[in-house]
Amino acid sequence: MDRTQRPRSVLDSLGEELIGILTPVSICMFTVVLLVCLLNSDPFSSASFSSIATAAYSETDSDSPWDKLLGAFLNSLVFVAAITVATFLLVLLFYLRCVRFLKLYMGFSAFVVLANLGGEISVLLIDRFRLPVDSVTFSILLFNFSVVGVFAVFMSRFSILITQGYLVVIGVLVAYFFTMLPEWTTWVLLVALALYDLAAVLLPVGPLRLLVEMAISRDEDIPALVYEARPVIRDDSRLVQRRVWRDRRSSQNDDDLENNEVVNVVRAEEDEQRSEISVPLIERSRPESSETFLEGIGLGSSGAIKLGLGDFIFYSVLVGRAAMYDLMTVYACYLAIIAGLGVTLMLLSVYQKALPALPVSIMLGVVFYFLARLFLEVFVVQCSSNLVMF
Amino acid sequence: MHRSFEIIGKVMTVAAGIGYALLALGPSLSLFVSVISRKPFLILTLLSSTLVWLVSLIVLSGLWRPFLPLKANVWWPYTLLVLSSVCFQEALRFLFWKLYMRLEDVLDSFADRISRPRLFLTDKLQIALAGGLGHGVAHAVFFCLSLLTPAFAIIALAFVTIHTFSMVIAFEGYAKGNKVDQVIVPVIHLSAGMLTLVNFASEGCVIGVPLLYLVASLTLLHCGKMVWQRLIESRNQSGPTLR
């Protein structure tokens, strides 16, 4: 009585690539919120976090708001200046074709992040939950974890799920440490970085734009930490997921493909040695190519959507900082960031050139945070305390 | 750290918190896992719908901010509050539907371009369901997340049901020009909002909450009947041609 196989509807597979990038971003943000909630329940135990982002001014509770604002500005200025210098250094090294050195440095920085920051957070978690673990076992596990992570991030033949998992873990670790910055500094820093990203990618003299143009002209990859969603190839009957975006690139017309890349630089820091590790990060997205093969409204792209790890980190920092106030602000900021990411990807498919991924999301996130904090809370309390709902 | 917990003034265990949250959002979670997570487009619809309704709540709270905090135990300002909010949201629902029609046109022309069938009836119903679920989740999270209490979780569950399914009714009503469906949705929303005002009276929630659940089940029944009729209709139309 029924038809045997209904033809597949358009709705079945549209928007898959977008979900493929939204899921890890959401997981990263959720994990950071979880860590913030678990580890920050005791406000008196938070140690002061000293890093280059607080070099100019360290906030204390007794300062006036104007002082705090001024101090936050100074901190952000120092941080953005340091990042600019590091990015120009990266551009120089890439220009001189020291790619091998860059790759080694990336591996080293990934190892340091996983071992050092990962170890610190693990210790905090063990302390919080009173897990019985001895130090020998712990160091062996940590060492193995970090080494596998370095391999996962740099060997191209590694299982994609593990690579993606490790990249998300690196993002979570760095983001958690950034949330420990003082409050005003965090917000001003996020806005400053969004503006920096805008300038560095769109201005002709911006370092990221130079980097992207060099990479395109040489047809090379920038050695960087990039999250790559699984590329999807479709047969008529089922989905086959393979990691073939490199092969596809060579087999298709150059007219059809354009690389749109955005590079975002992030800096991971350690407390003790005050050494700085700069980790360049890329977002690249390929618009649709041949229509017979794929669907494209801007949602379906050939190959993978790649998002730089810096974007993961700063989205999670924003949401983590919102979590320190209330869960309502987390909810508002999460939706704002996702909306910003969607808008950015749509702009990318319209403008077909390198676009920064941070500004729209961060701006929306900051706006929604302050709106939620100022307006929503009072309204909700009014209604909730009287069991009024609509 | 969490201002909400200060307001309650008691220590809430994690297990209790998760329990209350699941009470309000459990059915939506199962709807999500079984229907929405299968199709990526529906997840995107859910997210955009939640965003739209969150923005509407922000606008409402911005508009009402100068008048808050309201005097305690006086119930008529709350009537105004509920009335204005419901009117605003129903107007927004109509706009949302207009936007959805544009999207449907885009999707249909896209489907023609890649020579795939146009949107089926079930697709349209699923999109409406995702939109409604977004509405329900936005409201439940907004009202319920800060103050996780059992009373609120129970009320939120009723509202999630109402919002989820009235969106389906509304979309079909606007699409077919069916006056009954178009009118019944604002009526349901308004009556549900007004019913919560009953909670002001002492022991009012003993009457208010069951009535609320009555409204929720009415919504469910009406939606189910309407969807069943539409499906039968469309099967009769297309039945003989498909073999």
Side-chain angles (χ1 to χ4, degrees), chain A residues 3 6 9-12 14 19 291 295 324-325 328 331 339 374 376 379-380 382 384 386-387 389-390, chain B residues 1 39 41 50 61 65 70 78 107 110-111 113 120 123 138-139 142 146-147 152 189 196 199 242:
Chain A
R3 310 161 277 225
R6 181 218 289 238
S9 151
V10 151
L11 216 59
D12 281 346
L14 201 60
I19 295 296
E291 294 220 324
E295 308 161 357
M324 290 185 180
Y325 185 73
M328 174 65 57
Y331 167 63
L374 292 173
L376 281 190
F379 193 70
V380 168
Q382 275 296 293
S384 310
N386 290 305
L387 286 186
M389 191 170 166
F390 53 85
Chain B
M1 159 184 68
K39 304 195 176 180
F41 190 76
T50 314
S61 31
R65 183 72 178 87
L70 297 170
Y78 287 97
L107 284 178
F110 174 68
R113 214 156 36 117
F120 297 114
D123 288 337
H139 274 233
F142 178 72
S146 302
L147 297 175
F152 244 103
H189 195 181
T196 57
N199 293 329
L242 253 134

Side-chain angles (χ1 to χ4, degrees), chain A residues 41-106:
Chain A
S41 44
D42 183 4
F44 299 111
S45 70
S46 55
S48 64
F49 176 60
S50 58
S51 72
I52 193 166
T54 51
Y57 162 79
S58 42
E59 190 173 309
T60 56
D61 284 332
S62 54
D63 294 341
S64 70
W66 180 247
D67 281 342
K68 285 190 191 177
L69 196 63
L70 214 55
F73 266 124
L74 286 174
N75 274 339
S76 321
L77 224 58
V78 168
F79 193 78
V80 170
I83 285 194
T84 319
V85 165
T87 320
F88 272 114
L89 199 63
L90 178 68
V91 171
L92 188 67
L93 285 176
F94 194 65
Y95 180 69
L96 298 174
R97 298 179 190 271
C98 310
V99 178
R100 191 129 183 272
F101 170 74
L102 284 174
K103 281 188 109 63
L104 283 176
Y105 186 63
M106 304 290 309

Side-chain angles (χ1 to χ4, degrees), chain A residues 353-389:
Chain A
K353 55 182 272 216
L355 284 183
L358 274 187
V360 181
S361 289
I362 299 278
M363 292 305 183
L364 275 181
V366 171
V367 163
F368 269 65
Y369 174 79
F370 285 109
L371 282 179
R373 194 166 159 163
L374 292 173
F375 292 150
L376 281 190
E377 202 182 348
V378 180
F379 193 70
V380 168
V381 167
Q382 275 296 293
C383 291
S384 310
S385 48
N386 290 305
L387 286 186
V388 170
M389 191 170 166

Side-chain angles (χ1 to χ4, degrees), chain A residues 5 22 25 31 33 65 117 130 139 155-156 169-170 216 251 254 266 274 297 316 343 380:
Chain A
Q5 177 79 347
L22 280 183
V25 172
T31 317
V33 168
L117 300 187
R130 310 254 182 269
S139 24
M155 280 169 55
S156 52
V169 165
I170 293 179
I216 292 178
S251 66
D254 283 289
V266 125
R274 280 182 166 266
I297 324 181
S316 308
V343 166
V380 168

Side-chain angles (χ1 to χ4, degrees), chain A residues 20-31:
Chain A
I21 204 75
L22 280 183
T23 314
V25 172
S26 308
I27 292 178
C28 188
M29 288 199 258
F30 179 70
T31 317

Side-chain angles (χ1 to χ4, degrees), chain B residues 21 24 48 66-67 95 97 104 114 120-121 124 144 165 209 217 228 239:
Chain B
S48 1
F67 306 104
L95 283 174
W97 176 73
E104 203 181 295
I114 58 166
F120 297 114
L121 175 67
K124 299 185 197 178
C144 196
F165 295 105
V209 172
S217 11
W228 185 251

